[in-house]
Amino acid sequence: MDTIIAKVTEQGESISKAADILRVGGLVAFPTETVYGLGGDGLNKEASGKIYAAKGRPSDNPLIIHIGEQAALDNLVRSVSEPAKKLMDAFWPGPMTLIFDKSDRVPKETTGGLDTVAIRYPSHPVALRLLRESGVYIAAPSANLSGRPSPTHARHVIEDLNGRIDMILDGGAVEIGLESTIIDVTGMHPVILRPGFITKEMIEQLLPDITVDPAILVEQKQEKLVAKAPGMKYKHYAPRGQLYLVEGTNEKAVFDKINAMVEEAADKGLRAAVIATEESANNYQTGLVKVMGSRLKEETVAKKLFAILREMDDLGVDVIYSESFGQQGLGQAIMNRLLKAAGYQIISADES
Ligand code: TXA
Ligand code: MG
């Protein structure tokens, strides 16, 4: 299939074209404030089927339905709890997805067979214009091939999906760089199923009893907990080279450990890379060093993380050592994505 690749312009002709494609059951990749999405009509089971096929995604991994106004909820969900209302008032439109009991209008092909549905009201102007002009409730997973890092630039979407979908809307780089925070609001006590830009600390201001699904925390591997967001169980975001996260109570020990491992890898003829931050980069003497952003502004780390994982593939790196982050604030979402990309391979700098 020939994929139309079009920049978004002031006049919005490319958005109108994309809206036409969505209305007749086609697929369009478009920017949101978090990552690029691969959109199709969420109420049309053939369109949902095409999304799974284009991504190579397992059919039990449900899609998020995007809406362009809060009133659309009435058509898609059975009921809205008090905690859900508080969250929507505070964070919609924006990088938050809520899980509700689905209405009969939502086909099970879109929800991976579940009786619940994930809904997000994004804030990106292109996403909003596309939703409102098409009148379609847009089911959209991240616009990457299954298992690859989520796309934060149109060029990442082109790499993965050119020739597999009808159109790619190029709206430049996204703002946030990590997917939305997912919160299950089907019960009286909301639970965070996937950490994101809206942090646990921000949610606690409104809902002091908010909890995090234990399956997404660091201990996941050891305890073999089953993730409640089906997508969280798959290997994700993984670069082709093996990624290791290096942790330690003392930063000098982390630098030494990483330097030693880079040298060891080089001795074995492997191409090694380091993922560092602005504050730490000059402590690494050898190997390829990539700077994700500043620890003092973790949103800069979030924004570059997926692009750097993709770059590692472009550079043909065999082994990657990354610094780790704390579990507070945005650090929780950053560590969640890094741990998944690393297949939970953690090296302690304290033990040597
Ligand atoms: O920021 C985002 O959320 C982006 C943009 C495009 O909106 N979308 C995104 O979609 O990240 P995706 O499909 O890559 O991730 C959706 C996650 C998966 O882990 C899926 O299992 C979970 O949401 N999910 C979807 N519906 C669910 C449901 N009914 N119950 C539990 N988890 C659900
Ligand atoms: Mg995804």
Side-chain angles (χ1 to χ4, degrees):
M1 154 187 323
D2 276 336
T3 300
I4 302 168
I5 300 173
K7 286 218 160 37
V8 173
T9 58
E10 271 306 310
Q11 297 77 11
E13 316 93 308
S14 54
I15 299 180
S16 304
K17 173 80 193 158
D20 290 342
I21 292 173
L22 288 173
R23 272 194 297 265
V24 296
L27 302 189
V28 175
F30 62 99
T32 82
E33 68 277 25
T34 56
V35 299
Y36 272 76
L38 169 57
D41 181 348
L43 299 189
N44 173 340
K45 49 189 174 194
E46 281 81 36
S48 291
K50 285 192 217 168
I51 293 176
Y52 286 99
K55 278 185 64 103
R57 177 177 178 121
S59 61
D60 67 345
N61 188 0
L63 307 177
I64 296 175
I65 297 186
H66 296 66
I67 57 177
E69 52 171 358
Q70 206 151 301
L73 263 189
D74 299 341
N75 295 319
L76 303 172
V77 313
R78 281 197 192 282
S79 63
V80 180
S81 65
E82 283 309 314
K85 281 181 196 150
K86 282 192 186 169
L87 289 168
M88 289 171 354
D89 286 345
F91 301 119
W92 270 0
M96 176 184 76
T97 297
L98 298 180
I99 309 288
F100 298 94
D101 289 319
K102 79 171 190 67
S103 77
D104 293 335
R105 286 188 66 185
V106 180
K108 285 212 171 175
E109 282 76 4
T110 300
T111 63
L114 298 177
D115 291 322
T116 53
V117 62
I119 311 277
R120 178 155 117 75
Y121 178 2
S123 62
H124 193 290
V126 174
L128 286 176
R129 200 158 158 187
L130 184 61
L131 282 158
R132 289 169 186 167
E133 213 174 301
S134 65
V136 166
Y137 300 140
I138 306 178
S142 50
N144 50 279
L145 285 174
S146 193
R148 296 215 72 207
S150 296
T152 53
H153 291 263
R155 68 167 187 277
H156 299 155
V157 183
I158 296 170
E159 269 169 32
D160 281 16
L161 298 177
N162 195 10
R164 302 175 71 91
I165 61 177
D166 297 292
M167 184 170 184
I168 297 171
L169 269 179
D170 179 351
V174 303
E175 201 41 50
I176 292 175
L178 296 180
E179 308 87 343
S180 59
T181 306
I182 302 182
I183 309 169
D184 182 346
V185 291
T186 55
M188 270 329 284
H189 299 284
V191 181
I192 299 174
L193 303 187
R194 177 174 75 183
F197 188 78
I198 309 285
T199 63
K200 175 167 183 273
E201 289 82 352
M202 289 159 76
I203 298 165
E204 263 168 355
Q205 305 283 313
L206 300 173
L207 305 172
D209 66 344
I210 186 79
T211 55
V212 178
D213 178 4
I216 67 176
L217 297 174
V218 187
E219 298 77 18
Q220 177 167 354
K221 198 154 180 242
Q222 292 89 311
E223 295 184 11
K224 296 226 167 28
L225 294 170
V226 178
K228 294 204 183 63
M232 302 300 276
K233 74 181 181 225
Y234 295 106
K235 179 151 182 174
H236 245 104
Y237 317 124
R240 286 185 263 274
Q242 177 59 51
L243 171 65
Y244 296 94
L245 289 191
V246 185
E247 288 185 339
T249 40
N250 150 351
E251 61 171 25
K252 167 106 178 21
V254 170
F255 304 149
D256 290 346
K257 181 80 184 171
I258 290 181
N259 278 319
M261 289 188 296
V262 168
E263 259 178 57
E264 243 173 73
D267 288 345
K268 288 188 207 149
L270 296 174
R271 201 166 152 69
V274 179
I275 300 183
T277 52
E278 278 171 24
E279 290 77 16
S280 64
N282 62 8
N283 293 286
Y284 301 107
Q285 289 90 37
T286 48
L288 185 72
V289 181
K290 287 283 162 192
V291 175
M292 267 203 294
S294 167
R295 283 183 183 276
L296 303 176
K297 284 195 215 132
E298 286 192 329
E299 60 279 11
T300 60
V301 174
K303 192 166 179 171
K304 281 187 80 175
L305 193 156
F306 286 139
I308 286 185
L309 292 179
R310 279 179 180 262
E311 223 183 313
M312 293 296 168
D313 286 347
D314 300 341
L315 294 166
V317 171
D318 302 305
V319 55
I320 308 153
Y321 299 105
S322 174
E323 295 179 358
S324 23
F325 294 81
Q327 291 280 355
Q328 291 74 43
L330 197 49
Q332 183 161 65
I334 293 170
M335 278 302 278
N336 171 262
R337 305 312 191 273
L338 278 173
L339 279 163
K340 285 172 70 71
Y344 299 91
Q345 301 285 321
I346 305 171
I347 293 173
S348 168
D350 297 339
E351 285 161 11
S352 50

